[in-house]
Amino acid sequence: MENKMIYEIWDAGNVNRWHANKYPQLRNSQDTVAAHSARVGLLMEFLFDLSPSYALSHDLPEKAIGDIPYGAPKGKKYKAAEAKWFDDHDMLHVETDQLKFCDRLDAILWALQ
């Protein structure tokens, strides 16, 4: 793996979550994709006794292709771009029901905080 790719994977976690949210408390909450992914991974392991590995990378493409807010449909072009990002970075991406649940649970817990 080349140095540029290592940096891109590492840097992808530096995206601010909630950046497009209409509520300033969330928009300015300083949450990052890296912090969110770590929390989702902990929830996956604690609630379902599953490896956190997919959770740690599930939102990394957002740095390159943008984010689709929860509830908005992800079109074929977005899904294809997301899959291409994972392929280009030699990463496997598997989205399970447990991952979706933990992703949403983290969002709820963060908002409540």
Short mmCIF file of all heavy atoms in Angstrom, two decimals, residues 40-109:
data_model
loop_
_atom_site.label_atom_id
_atom_site.label_comp_id
_atom_site.label_asym_id
_atom_site.label_seq_id
_atom_site.Cartn_x
_atom_site.Cartn_y
_atom_site.Cartn_z
N VAL A 40 -19.22 3.23 17.31
CA VAL A 40 -20.05 2.20 16.66
C VAL A 40 -19.38 0.84 16.82
O VAL A 40 -20.04 -0.16 17.09
CB VAL A 40 -20.30 2.54 15.17
CG1 VAL A 40 -20.99 1.39 14.46
CG2 VAL A 40 -21.13 3.81 15.04
N GLY A 41 -18.06 0.78 16.67
CA GLY A 41 -17.33 -0.47 16.85
C GLY A 41 -17.48 -1.02 18.26
O GLY A 41 -17.68 -2.23 18.44
N LEU A 42 -17.41 -0.14 19.25
CA LEU A 42 -17.60 -0.58 20.64
C LEU A 42 -19.02 -1.13 20.85
O LEU A 42 -19.20 -2.16 21.52
CB LEU A 42 -17.34 0.58 21.60
CG LEU A 42 -15.90 1.02 21.72
CD1 LEU A 42 -15.80 2.32 22.52
CD2 LEU A 42 -15.05 -0.07 22.37
N LEU A 43 -20.00 -0.45 20.28
CA LEU A 43 -21.38 -0.94 20.39
C LEU A 43 -21.55 -2.30 19.72
O LEU A 43 -22.22 -3.18 20.25
CB LEU A 43 -22.36 0.08 19.79
CG LEU A 43 -22.52 1.39 20.56
CD1 LEU A 43 -23.28 2.42 19.73
CD2 LEU A 43 -23.18 1.15 21.90
N MET A 44 -20.94 -2.46 18.55
CA MET A 44 -21.01 -3.76 17.83
C MET A 44 -20.46 -4.89 18.69
O MET A 44 -21.05 -5.96 18.79
CB MET A 44 -20.23 -3.69 16.52
CG MET A 44 -20.80 -2.80 15.47
SD MET A 44 -21.98 -3.59 14.41
CE MET A 44 -20.98 -4.80 13.60
N GLU A 45 -19.31 -4.62 19.29
CA GLU A 45 -18.67 -5.66 20.10
C GLU A 45 -19.46 -5.93 21.37
O GLU A 45 -19.67 -7.08 21.74
CB GLU A 45 -17.23 -5.25 20.43
CG GLU A 45 -16.43 -6.36 21.01
CD GLU A 45 -14.94 -6.08 21.02
OE1 GLU A 45 -14.52 -4.99 20.61
OE2 GLU A 45 -14.22 -6.97 21.46
N PHE A 46 -19.92 -4.88 22.04
CA PHE A 46 -20.62 -5.03 23.31
C PHE A 46 -22.02 -5.63 23.13
O PHE A 46 -22.39 -6.56 23.84
CB PHE A 46 -20.73 -3.68 24.02
CG PHE A 46 -21.46 -3.75 25.32
CD1 PHE A 46 -20.87 -4.33 26.44
CD2 PHE A 46 -22.74 -3.25 25.43
CE1 PHE A 46 -21.56 -4.41 27.65
CE2 PHE A 46 -23.44 -3.32 26.63
CZ PHE A 46 -22.84 -3.90 27.74
N LEU A 47 -22.78 -5.12 22.17
CA LEU A 47 -24.16 -5.56 22.01
C LEU A 47 -24.31 -6.89 21.28
O LEU A 47 -25.21 -7.67 21.57
CB LEU A 47 -24.98 -4.49 21.28
CG LEU A 47 -25.17 -3.17 22.00
CD1 LEU A 47 -25.89 -2.18 21.10
CD2 LEU A 47 -25.93 -3.37 23.30
N PHE A 48 -23.42 -7.14 20.31
CA PHE A 48 -23.59 -8.30 19.45
C PHE A 48 -22.40 -9.26 19.45
O PHE A 48 -22.42 -10.25 18.72
CB PHE A 48 -23.87 -7.85 18.00
CG PHE A 48 -25.13 -7.03 17.88
CD1 PHE A 48 -25.06 -5.66 17.67
CD2 PHE A 48 -26.38 -7.61 18.01
CE1 PHE A 48 -26.20 -4.89 17.55
CE2 PHE A 48 -27.54 -6.85 17.90
CZ PHE A 48 -27.44 -5.49 17.68
N ASP A 49 -21.39 -8.95 20.22
CA ASP A 49 -20.17 -9.76 20.26
C ASP A 49 -19.60 -9.96 18.85
O ASP A 49 -19.17 -11.05 18.49
CB ASP A 49 -20.43 -11.10 20.95
CG ASP A 49 -19.15 -11.79 21.39
OD1 ASP A 49 -18.15 -11.08 21.62
OD2 ASP A 49 -19.14 -13.03 21.47
N LEU A 50 -19.62 -8.88 18.05
CA LEU A 50 -19.11 -8.91 16.69
C LEU A 50 -17.86 -8.05 16.59
O LEU A 50 -17.71 -7.07 17.31
CB LEU A 50 -20.16 -8.38 15.71
CG LEU A 50 -21.41 -9.21 15.56
CD1 LEU A 50 -22.45 -8.47 14.72
CD2 LEU A 50 -21.09 -10.56 14.94
N SER A 51 -17.00 -8.40 15.68
CA SER A 51 -15.79 -7.63 15.44
C SER A 51 -16.15 -6.19 15.06
O SER A 51 -17.06 -5.98 14.25
CB SER A 51 -14.96 -8.26 14.32
OG SER A 51 -13.94 -7.39 13.92
N PRO A 52 -15.43 -5.22 15.57
CA PRO A 52 -15.71 -3.82 15.23
C PRO A 52 -15.10 -3.39 13.89
O PRO A 52 -15.23 -2.25 13.50
CB PRO A 52 -15.07 -3.05 16.39
CG PRO A 52 -13.95 -3.92 16.84
CD PRO A 52 -14.44 -5.33 16.64
N SER A 53 -14.47 -4.30 13.17
CA SER A 53 -13.68 -3.90 12.00
C SER A 53 -14.51 -3.18 10.93
O SER A 53 -14.07 -2.18 10.38
CB SER A 53 -12.94 -5.09 11.40
OG SER A 53 -13.85 -6.07 10.99
N TYR A 54 -15.70 -3.67 10.59
CA TYR A 54 -16.51 -3.00 9.57
C TYR A 54 -17.00 -1.64 10.06
O TYR A 54 -17.13 -0.70 9.28
CB TYR A 54 -17.68 -3.85 9.12
CG TYR A 54 -17.27 -5.14 8.45
CD1 TYR A 54 -17.82 -6.35 8.81
CD2 TYR A 54 -16.30 -5.13 7.45
CE1 TYR A 54 -17.43 -7.53 8.20
CE2 TYR A 54 -15.90 -6.30 6.84
CZ TYR A 54 -16.46 -7.49 7.22
OH TYR A 54 -16.07 -8.66 6.60
N ALA A 55 -17.28 -1.56 11.34
CA ALA A 55 -17.73 -0.28 11.91
C ALA A 55 -16.64 0.78 11.81
O ALA A 55 -16.93 1.95 11.58
CB ALA A 55 -18.14 -0.48 13.37
N LEU A 56 -15.40 0.37 11.95
CA LEU A 56 -14.30 1.33 11.94
C LEU A 56 -14.11 2.00 10.58
O LEU A 56 -13.55 3.09 10.50
CB LEU A 56 -13.00 0.66 12.37
CG LEU A 56 -12.99 0.14 13.81
CD1 LEU A 56 -11.70 -0.60 14.10
CD2 LEU A 56 -13.21 1.27 14.80
N SER A 57 -14.59 1.37 9.53
CA SER A 57 -14.38 1.92 8.19
C SER A 57 -15.68 2.30 7.47
O SER A 57 -15.62 2.82 6.37
CB SER A 57 -13.61 0.91 7.34
OG SER A 57 -14.33 -0.29 7.21
N HIS A 58 -16.83 2.11 8.09
CA HIS A 58 -18.08 2.23 7.34
C HIS A 58 -18.37 3.61 6.77
O HIS A 58 -19.06 3.72 5.76
CB HIS A 58 -19.27 1.72 8.18
CG HIS A 58 -19.73 2.67 9.24
ND1 HIS A 58 -19.08 2.82 10.44
CD2 HIS A 58 -20.78 3.50 9.27
CE1 HIS A 58 -19.73 3.71 11.17
NE2 HIS A 58 -20.76 4.15 10.48
N ASP A 59 -17.85 4.68 7.34
CA ASP A 59 -18.13 6.02 6.83
C ASP A 59 -16.92 6.69 6.17
O ASP A 59 -16.98 7.87 5.82
CB ASP A 59 -18.63 6.92 7.96
CG ASP A 59 -20.10 6.69 8.30
OD1 ASP A 59 -20.83 6.17 7.44
OD2 ASP A 59 -20.51 7.06 9.41
N LEU A 60 -15.83 5.97 6.00
CA LEU A 60 -14.62 6.59 5.46
C LEU A 60 -14.80 7.21 4.07
O LEU A 60 -14.19 8.26 3.80
CB LEU A 60 -13.47 5.58 5.45
CG LEU A 60 -12.95 5.14 6.82
CD1 LEU A 60 -11.78 4.18 6.65
CD2 LEU A 60 -12.54 6.33 7.67
N PRO A 61 -15.61 6.66 3.18
CA PRO A 61 -15.74 7.29 1.86
C PRO A 61 -16.34 8.69 1.88
O PRO A 61 -16.23 9.44 0.91
CB PRO A 61 -16.67 6.33 1.09
CG PRO A 61 -16.49 5.03 1.76
CD PRO A 61 -16.27 5.36 3.21
N GLU A 62 -16.96 9.09 2.99
CA GLU A 62 -17.61 10.40 3.05
C GLU A 62 -16.65 11.55 2.76
O GLU A 62 -17.06 12.57 2.21
CB GLU A 62 -18.27 10.61 4.41
CG GLU A 62 -19.48 9.74 4.62
CD GLU A 62 -20.13 9.93 5.98
OE1 GLU A 62 -19.74 10.87 6.71
OE2 GLU A 62 -21.03 9.14 6.29
N LYS A 63 -15.40 11.41 3.12
CA LYS A 63 -14.41 12.47 2.86
C LYS A 63 -14.31 12.74 1.36
O LYS A 63 -14.19 13.88 0.94
CB LYS A 63 -13.06 12.07 3.44
CG LYS A 63 -11.93 13.01 3.12
CD LYS A 63 -11.73 14.01 4.22
CE LYS A 63 -10.55 14.91 3.92
NZ LYS A 63 -10.14 15.67 5.04
N ALA A 64 -14.37 11.69 0.56
CA ALA A 64 -14.19 11.82 -0.88
C ALA A 64 -15.49 12.03 -1.64
O ALA A 64 -15.52 12.79 -2.62
CB ALA A 64 -13.48 10.57 -1.42
N ILE A 65 -16.58 11.40 -1.20
CA ILE A 65 -17.81 11.44 -2.01
C ILE A 65 -18.96 12.16 -1.34
O ILE A 65 -20.04 12.27 -1.91
CB ILE A 65 -18.25 10.02 -2.43
CG1 ILE A 65 -18.60 9.16 -1.21
CG2 ILE A 65 -17.19 9.34 -3.26
CD1 ILE A 65 -19.20 7.81 -1.56
N GLY A 66 -18.75 12.66 -0.13
CA GLY A 66 -19.81 13.37 0.58
C GLY A 66 -20.65 12.43 1.41
O GLY A 66 -20.42 11.22 1.45
N ASP A 67 -21.62 12.99 2.07
CA ASP A 67 -22.46 12.24 2.98
C ASP A 67 -23.91 12.39 2.56
O ASP A 67 -24.32 13.44 2.06
CB ASP A 67 -22.28 12.75 4.41
CG ASP A 67 -23.03 11.93 5.44
OD1 ASP A 67 -23.37 10.78 5.15
OD2 ASP A 67 -23.26 12.45 6.54
N ILE A 68 -24.66 11.35 2.75
CA ILE A 68 -26.11 11.39 2.54
C ILE A 68 -26.74 11.32 3.93
O ILE A 68 -26.51 10.36 4.67
CB ILE A 68 -26.60 10.18 1.70
CG1 ILE A 68 -25.89 10.11 0.36
CG2 ILE A 68 -28.12 10.23 1.54
CD1 ILE A 68 -26.29 11.14 -0.64
N PRO A 69 -27.50 12.34 4.34
CA PRO A 69 -28.09 12.32 5.69
C PRO A 69 -29.01 11.13 5.89
O PRO A 69 -29.61 10.62 4.94
CB PRO A 69 -28.87 13.63 5.76
CG PRO A 69 -28.31 14.49 4.68
CD PRO A 69 -27.83 13.55 3.61
N TYR A 70 -29.14 10.71 7.15
CA TYR A 70 -30.03 9.60 7.50
C TYR A 70 -31.43 9.91 6.99
O TYR A 70 -31.94 11.00 7.13
CB TYR A 70 -30.05 9.39 9.01
CG TYR A 70 -31.07 8.35 9.42
CD1 TYR A 70 -30.85 7.01 9.16
CD2 TYR A 70 -32.26 8.72 10.03
CE1 TYR A 70 -31.79 6.05 9.51
CE2 TYR A 70 -33.20 7.78 10.38
CZ TYR A 70 -32.95 6.45 10.12
OH TYR A 70 -33.89 5.51 10.46
N GLY A 71 -32.06 8.92 6.40
CA GLY A 71 -33.42 9.05 5.90
C GLY A 71 -33.48 9.37 4.41
O GLY A 71 -34.47 9.07 3.77
N ALA A 72 -32.42 9.97 3.88
CA ALA A 72 -32.39 10.26 2.44
C ALA A 72 -31.93 9.00 1.72
O ALA A 72 -30.99 8.33 2.17
CB ALA A 72 -31.45 11.42 2.15
N PRO A 73 -32.56 8.66 0.61
CA PRO A 73 -32.15 7.44 -0.10
C PRO A 73 -30.77 7.60 -0.75
O PRO A 73 -30.46 8.65 -1.30
CB PRO A 73 -33.24 7.24 -1.14
CG PRO A 73 -33.85 8.59 -1.32
CD PRO A 73 -33.68 9.33 -0.03
N LYS A 74 -29.98 6.55 -0.65
CA LYS A 74 -28.70 6.52 -1.34
C LYS A 74 -28.95 5.93 -2.72
O LYS A 74 -29.37 4.80 -2.85
CB LYS A 74 -27.68 5.65 -0.59
CG LYS A 74 -27.19 6.25 0.69
CD LYS A 74 -26.10 5.38 1.31
CE LYS A 74 -25.56 6.01 2.57
NZ LYS A 74 -24.50 5.22 3.17
N GLY A 75 -28.72 6.74 -3.74
CA GLY A 75 -28.96 6.28 -5.11
C GLY A 75 -27.88 5.32 -5.58
O GLY A 75 -26.88 5.09 -4.90
N LYS A 76 -28.10 4.77 -6.76
CA LYS A 76 -27.16 3.81 -7.33
C LYS A 76 -25.78 4.43 -7.55
O LYS A 76 -24.77 3.78 -7.34
CB LYS A 76 -27.70 3.26 -8.65
CG LYS A 76 -28.87 2.33 -8.49
CD LYS A 76 -29.34 1.81 -9.84
CE LYS A 76 -30.57 0.93 -9.67
NZ LYS A 76 -31.07 0.44 -10.95
N LYS A 77 -25.76 5.70 -7.99
CA LYS A 77 -24.47 6.36 -8.24
C LYS A 77 -23.68 6.52 -6.94
O LYS A 77 -22.47 6.31 -6.92
CB LYS A 77 -24.67 7.72 -8.90
CG LYS A 77 -25.07 7.64 -10.34
CD LYS A 77 -25.18 9.02 -10.96
CE LYS A 77 -25.61 8.93 -12.40
NZ LYS A 77 -25.70 10.26 -13.02
N TYR A 78 -24.35 6.89 -5.86
CA TYR A 78 -23.67 7.04 -4.58
C TYR A 78 -23.14 5.70 -4.09
O TYR A 78 -21.99 5.59 -3.66
CB TYR A 78 -24.59 7.66 -3.53
CG TYR A 78 -23.87 7.94 -2.22
CD1 TYR A 78 -23.23 9.14 -2.03
CD2 TYR A 78 -23.83 6.99 -1.21
CE1 TYR A 78 -22.54 9.40 -0.86
CE2 TYR A 78 -23.15 7.24 -0.03
CZ TYR A 78 -22.51 8.45 0.14
OH TYR A 78 -21.82 8.69 1.31
N LYS A 79 -23.99 4.68 -4.15
CA LYS A 79 -23.56 3.35 -3.71
C LYS A 79 -22.39 2.84 -4.54
O LYS A 79 -21.47 2.22 -4.01
CB LYS A 79 -24.73 2.37 -3.76
CG LYS A 79 -25.76 2.61 -2.67
CD LYS A 79 -26.88 1.60 -2.75
CE LYS A 79 -27.91 1.87 -1.67
NZ LYS A 79 -28.99 0.89 -1.67
N ALA A 80 -22.42 3.11 -5.84
CA ALA A 80 -21.32 2.70 -6.71
C ALA A 80 -20.03 3.45 -6.37
O ALA A 80 -18.94 2.86 -6.34
CB ALA A 80 -21.68 2.92 -8.17
N ALA A 81 -20.15 4.73 -6.09
CA ALA A 81 -18.97 5.53 -5.71
C ALA A 81 -18.40 5.06 -4.38
O ALA A 81 -17.18 4.99 -4.20
CB ALA A 81 -19.34 7.01 -5.64
N GLU A 82 -19.28 4.72 -3.45
CA GLU A 82 -18.85 4.21 -2.16
C GLU A 82 -18.12 2.87 -2.33
O GLU A 82 -17.03 2.67 -1.77
CB GLU A 82 -20.09 4.04 -1.26
CG GLU A 82 -19.80 3.77 0.18
CD GLU A 82 -21.09 3.77 0.99
OE1 GLU A 82 -22.02 2.98 0.67
OE2 GLU A 82 -21.15 4.54 1.95
N ALA A 83 -18.69 1.98 -3.12
CA ALA A 83 -18.06 0.67 -3.38
C ALA A 83 -16.71 0.85 -4.08
O ALA A 83 -15.73 0.16 -3.74
CB ALA A 83 -18.98 -0.20 -4.22
N LYS A 84 -16.64 1.79 -5.01
CA LYS A 84 -15.38 2.06 -5.71
C LYS A 84 -14.32 2.56 -4.74
O LYS A 84 -13.15 2.18 -4.82
CB LYS A 84 -15.60 3.06 -6.84
CG LYS A 84 -14.33 3.33 -7.64
CD LYS A 84 -14.60 4.30 -8.76
CE LYS A 84 -13.39 4.64 -9.60
NZ LYS A 84 -12.08 4.47 -9.08
N TRP A 85 -14.72 3.44 -3.80
CA TRP A 85 -13.75 3.95 -2.83
C TRP A 85 -13.15 2.80 -2.03
O TRP A 85 -11.95 2.71 -1.85
CB TRP A 85 -14.41 4.97 -1.89
CG TRP A 85 -13.41 5.67 -1.03
CD1 TRP A 85 -12.83 6.89 -1.29
CD2 TRP A 85 -12.86 5.23 0.22
NE1 TRP A 85 -11.95 7.21 -0.28
CE2 TRP A 85 -11.95 6.21 0.66
CE3 TRP A 85 -13.04 4.10 1.00
CZ2 TRP A 85 -11.23 6.10 1.84
CZ3 TRP A 85 -12.32 3.98 2.18
CH2 TRP A 85 -11.43 4.98 2.60
N PHE A 86 -14.00 1.90 -1.54
CA PHE A 86 -13.51 0.75 -0.78
C PHE A 86 -12.61 -0.13 -1.64
O PHE A 86 -11.55 -0.58 -1.20
CB PHE A 86 -14.66 -0.06 -0.18
CG PHE A 86 -15.25 0.56 1.06
CD1 PHE A 86 -16.53 1.11 1.04
CD2 PHE A 86 -14.55 0.59 2.24
CE1 PHE A 86 -17.07 1.67 2.17
CE2 PHE A 86 -15.08 1.15 3.40
CZ PHE A 86 -16.35 1.69 3.36
N ASP A 87 -13.02 -0.39 -2.87
CA ASP A 87 -12.20 -1.19 -3.78
C ASP A 87 -10.86 -0.53 -4.05
O ASP A 87 -9.81 -1.20 -4.02
CB ASP A 87 -12.93 -1.42 -5.11
CG ASP A 87 -14.08 -2.40 -5.00
OD1 ASP A 87 -14.14 -3.14 -3.99
OD2 ASP A 87 -14.92 -2.43 -5.92
N ASP A 88 -10.87 0.78 -4.32
CA ASP A 88 -9.63 1.50 -4.60
C ASP A 88 -8.65 1.47 -3.44
O ASP A 88 -7.45 1.63 -3.62
CB ASP A 88 -9.92 2.96 -4.98
CG ASP A 88 -10.57 3.09 -6.35
OD1 ASP A 88 -10.61 2.10 -7.12
OD2 ASP A 88 -11.04 4.21 -6.65
N HIS A 89 -9.18 1.32 -2.23
CA HIS A 89 -8.35 1.31 -1.03
C HIS A 89 -8.15 -0.10 -0.48
O HIS A 89 -7.72 -0.28 0.66
CB HIS A 89 -8.93 2.25 0.02
CG HIS A 89 -8.86 3.68 -0.38
ND1 HIS A 89 -9.79 4.26 -1.21
CD2 HIS A 89 -7.95 4.64 -0.11
CE1 HIS A 89 -9.46 5.53 -1.41
NE2 HIS A 89 -8.34 5.78 -0.76
N ASP A 90 -8.48 -1.09 -1.30
CA ASP A 90 -8.32 -2.50 -0.91
C ASP A 90 -8.97 -2.82 0.43
O ASP A 90 -8.39 -3.51 1.27
CB ASP A 90 -6.83 -2.88 -0.87
CG ASP A 90 -6.18 -2.80 -2.23
OD1 ASP A 90 -6.85 -3.13 -3.23
OD2 ASP A 90 -5.02 -2.38 -2.31
N MET A 91 -10.17 -2.30 0.62
CA MET A 91 -10.90 -2.52 1.86
C MET A 91 -12.22 -3.21 1.57
O MET A 91 -12.89 -2.90 0.58
CB MET A 91 -11.16 -1.19 2.59
CG MET A 91 -9.90 -0.46 2.99
SD MET A 91 -10.25 1.13 3.75
CE MET A 91 -10.70 0.57 5.40
N LEU A 92 -12.60 -4.13 2.43
CA LEU A 92 -13.88 -4.82 2.33
C LEU A 92 -14.92 -4.03 3.10
O LEU A 92 -14.67 -3.54 4.20
CB LEU A 92 -13.74 -6.23 2.91
CG LEU A 92 -14.96 -7.13 2.86
CD1 LEU A 92 -15.37 -7.38 1.40
CD2 LEU A 92 -14.68 -8.44 3.54
N HIS A 93 -16.09 -3.89 2.52
CA HIS A 93 -17.18 -3.17 3.19
C HIS A 93 -18.39 -4.07 3.25
O HIS A 93 -18.91 -4.51 2.22
CB HIS A 93 -17.52 -1.89 2.44
CG HIS A 93 -18.69 -1.16 3.02
ND1 HIS A 93 -18.66 -0.60 4.27
CD2 HIS A 93 -19.92 -0.90 2.52
CE1 HIS A 93 -19.82 -0.02 4.52
NE2 HIS A 93 -20.61 -0.19 3.47
N VAL A 94 -18.84 -4.35 4.45
CA VAL A 94 -20.03 -5.17 4.66
C VAL A 94 -20.94 -4.40 5.59
O VAL A 94 -20.54 -4.02 6.69
CB VAL A 94 -19.66 -6.54 5.29
CG1 VAL A 94 -20.92 -7.34 5.57
CG2 VAL A 94 -18.72 -7.30 4.39
N GLU A 95 -22.17 -4.15 5.14
CA GLU A 95 -23.12 -3.42 5.96
C GLU A 95 -24.18 -4.40 6.46
O GLU A 95 -24.97 -4.90 5.68
CB GLU A 95 -23.76 -2.29 5.15
CG GLU A 95 -24.51 -1.32 6.01
CD GLU A 95 -24.88 -0.07 5.25
OE1 GLU A 95 -23.97 0.63 4.79
OE2 GLU A 95 -26.09 0.18 5.11
N THR A 96 -24.15 -4.67 7.73
CA THR A 96 -25.09 -5.63 8.33
C THR A 96 -26.20 -4.88 9.08
O THR A 96 -26.09 -3.68 9.34
CB THR A 96 -24.35 -6.53 9.33
OG1 THR A 96 -23.87 -5.72 10.41
CG2 THR A 96 -23.20 -7.27 8.67
N ASP A 97 -27.23 -5.59 9.42
CA ASP A 97 -28.31 -4.99 10.22
C ASP A 97 -27.77 -4.52 11.57
O ASP A 97 -28.20 -3.48 12.08
CB ASP A 97 -29.45 -6.00 10.44
CG ASP A 97 -30.24 -6.26 9.18
OD1 ASP A 97 -30.20 -5.43 8.24
OD2 ASP A 97 -30.92 -7.30 9.11
N GLN A 98 -26.84 -5.28 12.14
CA GLN A 98 -26.26 -4.89 13.42
C GLN A 98 -25.47 -3.59 13.29
O GLN A 98 -25.54 -2.73 14.17
CB GLN A 98 -25.35 -6.00 13.97
CG GLN A 98 -26.07 -7.27 14.33
CD GLN A 98 -26.14 -8.26 13.18
OE1 GLN A 98 -25.95 -7.93 12.01
NE2 GLN A 98 -26.42 -9.52 13.51
N LEU A 99 -24.74 -3.45 12.18
CA LEU A 99 -23.98 -2.22 11.96
C LEU A 99 -24.92 -1.04 11.80
O LEU A 99 -24.71 0.02 12.39
CB LEU A 99 -23.08 -2.37 10.73
CG LEU A 99 -22.30 -1.13 10.30
CD1 LEU A 99 -21.39 -0.63 11.41
CD2 LEU A 99 -21.50 -1.41 9.04
N LYS A 100 -25.98 -1.21 11.02
CA LYS A 100 -26.96 -0.13 10.85
C LYS A 100 -27.57 0.27 12.19
O LYS A 100 -27.75 1.45 12.48
CB LYS A 100 -28.05 -0.55 9.88
CG LYS A 100 -27.61 -0.68 8.44
CD LYS A 100 -28.78 -1.16 7.59
CE LYS A 100 -28.33 -1.52 6.19
NZ LYS A 100 -29.44 -2.08 5.39
N PHE A 101 -27.91 -0.74 12.99
CA PHE A 101 -28.50 -0.47 14.30
C PHE A 101 -27.54 0.34 15.18
O PHE A 101 -27.92 1.34 15.77
CB PHE A 101 -28.88 -1.78 15.00
CG PHE A 101 -29.39 -1.59 16.40
CD1 PHE A 101 -30.71 -1.24 16.61
CD2 PHE A 101 -28.55 -1.74 17.49
CE1 PHE A 101 -31.19 -1.04 17.91
CE2 PHE A 101 -29.01 -1.54 18.78
CZ PHE A 101 -30.34 -1.20 19.00
N CYS A 102 -26.29 -0.11 15.26
CA CYS A 102 -25.30 0.56 16.10
C CYS A 102 -24.98 1.96 15.58
O CYS A 102 -24.75 2.89 16.36
CB CYS A 102 -24.04 -0.28 16.22
SG CYS A 102 -24.27 -1.78 17.18
N ASP A 103 -24.99 2.13 14.26
CA ASP A 103 -24.76 3.44 13.65
C ASP A 103 -25.85 4.42 14.09
O ASP A 103 -25.57 5.55 14.49
CB ASP A 103 -24.75 3.27 12.13
CG ASP A 103 -24.32 4.51 11.38
OD1 ASP A 103 -23.36 5.18 11.82
OD2 ASP A 103 -24.95 4.81 10.35
N ARG A 104 -27.09 3.98 14.02
CA ARG A 104 -28.21 4.84 14.42
C ARG A 104 -28.24 5.06 15.93
O ARG A 104 -28.55 6.15 16.39
CB ARG A 104 -29.52 4.24 13.92
CG ARG A 104 -29.60 4.30 12.41
CD ARG A 104 -30.83 3.67 11.85
NE ARG A 104 -30.74 3.66 10.40
CZ ARG A 104 -31.14 2.67 9.65
NH1 ARG A 104 -31.69 1.60 10.18
NH2 ARG A 104 -31.03 2.74 8.33
N LEU A 105 -27.93 4.02 16.69
CA LEU A 105 -27.90 4.15 18.14
C LEU A 105 -26.85 5.18 18.55
O LEU A 105 -27.10 6.03 19.41
CB LEU A 105 -27.61 2.80 18.80
CG LEU A 105 -27.51 2.82 20.33
CD1 LEU A 105 -28.79 3.34 20.97
CD2 LEU A 105 -27.19 1.41 20.84
N ASP A 106 -25.68 5.15 17.91
CA ASP A 106 -24.66 6.14 18.23
C ASP A 106 -25.15 7.56 17.92
O ASP A 106 -24.90 8.48 18.70
CB ASP A 106 -23.36 5.86 17.46
CG ASP A 106 -22.33 6.94 17.74
OD1 ASP A 106 -21.84 7.00 18.89
OD2 ASP A 106 -22.04 7.74 16.82
N ALA A 107 -25.85 7.73 16.81
CA ALA A 107 -26.37 9.06 16.46
C ALA A 107 -27.35 9.55 17.52
O ALA A 107 -27.31 10.70 17.93
CB ALA A 107 -27.03 9.02 15.09
N ILE A 108 -28.23 8.66 17.98
CA ILE A 108 -29.20 9.03 19.01
C ILE A 108 -28.48 9.40 20.31
O ILE A 108 -28.77 10.43 20.92
CB ILE A 108 -30.20 7.88 19.24
CG1 ILE A 108 -31.10 7.72 18.01
CG2 ILE A 108 -31.04 8.12 20.50
CD1 ILE A 108 -31.89 6.43 17.99
N LEU A 109 -27.53 8.55 20.71
CA LEU A 109 -26.82 8.83 21.97
C LEU A 109 -26.02 10.12 21.88
O LEU A 109 -25.97 10.89 22.84
CB LEU A 109 -25.90 7.64 22.31
CG LEU A 109 -26.63 6.35 22.66
CD1 LEU A 109 -25.63 5.20 22.78
CD2 LEU A 109 -27.43 6.51 23.94
#
